[in-house]
Amino acid sequence: MASDDKPEIVDRGVKDKGDDDDKGGFMDKVKDFIHDVGEKIEETIGFGKPTADVTTIHIPCINLEKADIVVDVLIKNPNPVPIPLVDIDYLIESDGRKLLSGLIPDAGTIHAHGEETVKIPVTLIYDDIKSTYNDIEPGSIIPYRLKVDLIVDVPVFGRLTLPLEKTGEIPIPYKPDIDLEKIRFERFSWEETVAILHLRLENMNDFDLGLNGLEYEVWLSDMSIGGAELEKSTTIGKKGISYVDIPISFRPKDFGSALWDMIRGKGTGYTMKGHINVDTPFGPMKLPISKEGGTTRLKKDDDDDDEEGVTVTPES
């Protein structure tokens, strides 16, 4: 065989390491390209992460048994499509101790390029709190921390958790103490007598009570002398005392010896029940007032105080 006819030998041995580097570099470029395309699509279509904020905390109802609380959360959706609000997970604690927690599933949808105020209603039952934490006293104000996790499902980003937190204070209300200290007769008749009841109201709470209404009924010696609604504006400071005069009319001839005991200066037993309507830093409240087994007396001319006495004289 002639030398010109010898076959050409080609080396097909192991590839250079540089070949792998070239391949890796190529794959990285592909990934970067896909990422860049994704960002361009995101910028073009306008996808973005939603935002949320606690705007207001309302206390629409508060009394001696419970406090209804509504948390307003404003959620903004910058995306061109609606996003579902999958779950709302919330926790209320005080000084690191859990007061209440819960989960609200399938809480709705946030419209495209829109914003929604989502309301989270919760109820604090005071008996549950006081039975769990003995050191929480009626009439006190306790700090609270509200934690909310909003779970949303967003295209491109997937499922996201938006954590929120808010702090504040909430009261543990206590009913005021009431005493009927004296009764002054303005006009006396056996058929109808008009009297003024001198009430002493003591605020047992660590916050002011703005008294703006009073509903009451009074019994003397187990016999009702009636009641009424009274609009009265005054402020009873925290841990303070206020005095209120309220008019009442009744028929003395229906009372027998109880009225004569008062006229002769003796005390007589009484019971008083009702409600007071008050404004507080936490919203309006309707608090019960009650006094049973108390003793009161007629205000007479010779009583040793600064208030002028009233002489009781039957009408002709």
Side-chain angles (χ1 to χ4, degrees):
M1 182 181 294
S3 59
D4 291 341
D5 296 330
K6 289 181 180 180
E8 182 182 358
I9 298 174
V10 179
D11 184 7
R12 298 187 182 275
V14 180
K15 292 182 180 178
D16 238 7
K17 186 180 177 196
D19 293 339
D20 285 338
D21 291 341
D22 290 343
K23 185 177 179 182
F26 174 75
M27 293 305 296
D28 287 341
K29 289 178 181 178
V30 171
K31 290 179 182 178
D32 290 342
F33 173 76
I34 294 173
H35 179 73
D36 291 342
V37 170
E39 285 188 343
K40 293 297 182 185
I41 293 175
E42 180 183 327
E43 291 173 4
T44 303
I45 300 178
F47 281 107
K49 294 182 180 180
T51 59
D53 185 36
V54 176
T55 55
T56 314
I57 296 181
H58 308 276
I59 306 180
C61 175
I62 187 168
N63 52 42
L64 296 183
E65 289 78 36
K66 65 177 184 175
D68 292 331
I69 303 172
V70 178
V71 182
D72 287 351
V73 178
L74 179 64
I75 306 175
K76 296 182 179 181
N77 176 18
N79 300 292
V81 295
I83 59 172
L85 182 53
V86 181
D87 289 324
I88 299 176
D89 195 0
Y90 62 86
L91 166 70
I92 299 178
E93 61 181 17
S94 179
D95 291 331
R97 301 178 296 182
K98 184 177 82 170
L99 302 180
L100 182 69
S101 64
L103 178 70
I104 303 175
D106 302 324
T109 301
I110 313 302
H111 297 298
H113 292 307
E115 57 184 47
E116 300 281 341
T117 296
V118 177
K119 296 185 178 295
I120 306 174
V122 297
T123 299
L124 287 176
I125 307 297
Y126 290 130
D127 279 348
D128 294 343
I129 297 173
K130 289 182 283 190
S131 63
T132 306
Y133 306 111
N134 309 351
D135 58 325
I136 296 181
E137 301 263 343
S140 62
I141 299 173
I142 61 172
Y144 72 83
R145 183 183 301 274
L146 168 69
K147 297 180 179 179
V148 179
D149 284 339
L150 302 174
I151 303 173
V152 295
D153 199 353
V154 184
V156 177
F157 295 98
R159 187 165 290 196
L160 299 176
T161 298
L162 306 178
L164 303 172
E165 192 170 297
K166 197 80 170 178
T167 58
E169 292 181 327
I170 194 161
I172 311 294
Y174 195 56
K175 70 177 184 178
D177 188 42
I178 186 169
D179 276 314
L180 174 56
E181 292 200 326
K182 301 180 247 192
I183 301 177
R184 286 172 58 93
F185 289 162
E186 295 289 307
R187 188 177 75 249
F188 187 90
S189 163
W190 295 116
E191 295 298 326
E192 182 182 27
T193 289
V194 176
I196 302 296
L197 307 182
H198 295 257
L199 300 184
R200 178 184 182 273
L201 288 169
E202 183 175 0
N203 179 9
M204 313 291 284
N205 297 282
D206 282 332
F207 50 90
D208 294 348
L209 300 179
L211 177 65
N212 53 41
L214 172 66
E215 303 171 28
Y216 65 93
E217 187 170 3
V218 182
W219 290 261
L220 292 179
S221 295
D222 298 326
M223 185 173 291
S224 174
I225 62 173
E229 294 184 15
L230 175 72
E231 293 185 1
K232 179 71 176 180
S233 296
T234 188
T235 298
I236 313 174
K238 62 179 182 180
K239 301 293 185 182
I241 296 173
S242 184
Y243 295 88
V244 179
D245 291 346
I246 58 175
I248 196 167
S249 61
F250 57 94
R251 291 159 54 94
K253 67 179 185 179
D254 295 335
F255 283 84
S257 62
L259 180 64
W260 292 111
D261 285 342
M262 283 195 299
I263 292 176
R264 289 196 297 266
K266 296 181 179 179
T268 186
Y270 75 90
T271 297
M272 187 170 188
K273 294 181 180 180
H275 292 85
I276 61 172
N277 299 317
V278 294
D279 291 324
T280 77
F282 310 95
M285 296 186 195
K286 188 174 185 178
L287 299 177
I289 51 173
S290 64
K291 182 73 174 184
E292 297 186 39
T295 301
T296 189
R297 63 188 177 89
L298 176 67
K299 172 70 173 68
K300 299 189 297 181
D301 287 339
D302 56 356
D303 281 346
D304 188 16
D305 58 27
D306 295 333
E307 188 176 5
E308 182 182 353
V310 175
T311 302
V312 179
T313 26
E315 292 182 352
S316 55

